[in-house]
Amino acid sequence: MAEAAPVVPSDELLEWPKKDKRRLLHVVYRVGDLDRTIKFYTECFGMKLLRKRDIPEEKYSNAFLGFGPEETNFVVELTYNYGVDKYDIGTGFGHFAIATQDVYKIVEDIRAKGGIITREPGPVKGGKSVIAFVKDPDGYIFELIQRGPTPEPLCQVMLRVGDLERSIKFYEKALGMKMVKKIDRPEYKYSIAMMGYAEEHETTVLELTYNYDVTEYTKGNAYAQVAISTDDVYKSAEVVNLVTKELGGKITRQPGPIPGLNTKITSFLDPDGWKTVSFSLVLVTYFLAFCMFFNKLLLLKDVTHIYIAT
């Protein structure tokens, strides 16, 4: 008779994510014209096309773009489903952010290429940071932030949440993130928390936004999830299971291998239904193979799961 696995004390288990080797890997969302979006991102934002695949038997194509290789940088994964040219972004997704050394110049370049500027460049209200907002061809908003040289220009993913303190605790406990900044703006009736694995000028962070008295948002069907690395999918799932009992959310796929691939995954919901993917990238080949498999899932799944893979 097999022995039962040893029970890890909850306090010890909750300490493990802080020691795990984690970083934000990529963000996945759907677009209505893949080549149009690639052209906009490369010409207007200066991203590089890292790879592109067409899977006609599954009726979808996807492309990965970013400011550096996937092994070291946060990237976007664009998914195009045949025959679908428009998606509902919903009210919960906020924006992506790109750090640049000259916001005024990039805005003029985007304007010259026909891009839509939704907020002209200038200092934020009550502050010195220079920002602007632009809209991509599918309606996704990008904030442009003026900063010095940075190893990660693709620096933020902003999501709205219904209870900021609950979300902070969830991402700290379940995913091992740290809160690198918190701002409360009562005059504008909102608060934000920046969550990540390093300081915001060094890496990509999640910007969680709480608008006073708003507890629910629509998710739409456009934005999908972010991906996060982990060393141990099984232990990650244990932690998530423990945290969801306290803060909400739930595991929707128990940890285990993907048939035919040397990759293991688990999926879960955060308290607001946002989705994340986390990988342990022992070999880049395994990561690329998982991406091929996961894009098939995107055709079938809704947008309220979080995946962790090892």
Side-chain angles (χ1 to χ4, degrees), residues 277-296:
V277 182
S278 182
F279 298 81
S280 178
L281 305 181
V282 179
L283 292 175
V284 176
T285 304
Y286 297 161
F287 168 61
L288 300 182
F290 177 83
C291 291
M292 294 174 65
F293 172 84
F294 189 74
N295 274 285
K296 295 180 181 179

Side-chain angles (χ1 to χ4, degrees), residues 236-246 251 254:
S236 293
E238 286 185 68
V239 174
V240 170
N241 187 54
L242 184 63
V243 175
T244 56
K245 291 177 181 177
E246 175 193 358
I251 290 181
Q254 294 301 320

Side-chain angles (χ1 to χ4, degrees), residues 32-48:
D33 184 326
L34 190 59
D35 290 331
R36 177 186 65 185
T37 304
I38 291 171
K39 179 179 175 66
F40 188 87
Y41 287 10
T42 54
E43 294 184 359
C44 293
F45 295 147
M47 292 186 190
K48 299 176 182 178

Side-chain angles (χ1 to χ4, degrees), residues 204-232:
T204 307
V205 298
L206 294 182
E207 178 182 341
L208 305 178
T209 297
Y210 168 67
N211 294 308
Y212 288 12
D213 300 323
V214 182
T215 59
E216 293 185 3
Y217 295 93
T218 61
K219 297 296 186 298
N221 60 358
Y223 174 84
Q225 77 278 331
V226 295
I228 299 175
S229 60
T230 181
D231 282 340
D232 188 330

Side-chain angles (χ1 to χ4, degrees), residues 50-122:
L50 303 173
R51 55 191 173 96
K52 180 184 178 183
R53 300 181 307 113
D54 184 38
I55 314 296
E57 63 273 20
E58 300 290 347
K59 297 184 178 180
Y60 79 90
S61 302
N62 72 348
F64 289 74
L65 298 94
F67 294 96
E70 295 172 65
E71 296 86 348
T72 57
N73 286 73
F74 188 70
V75 303
V76 299
E77 178 184 346
L78 309 175
T79 297
Y80 168 68
N81 294 311
Y82 287 12
V84 183
D85 60 6
K86 189 175 182 180
Y87 292 95
D88 174 18
I89 294 177
T91 61
F93 173 78
H95 61 258
F96 305 111
I98 295 173
T100 178
Q101 296 185 59
D102 191 339
V103 167
Y104 294 94
K105 182 179 185 304
I106 192 173
V107 165
E108 288 312 307
D109 290 344
I110 293 171
R111 197 194 313 273
K113 293 179 173 67
I116 299 173
I117 314 301
T118 60
R119 197 264 198 196
E120 293 293 334

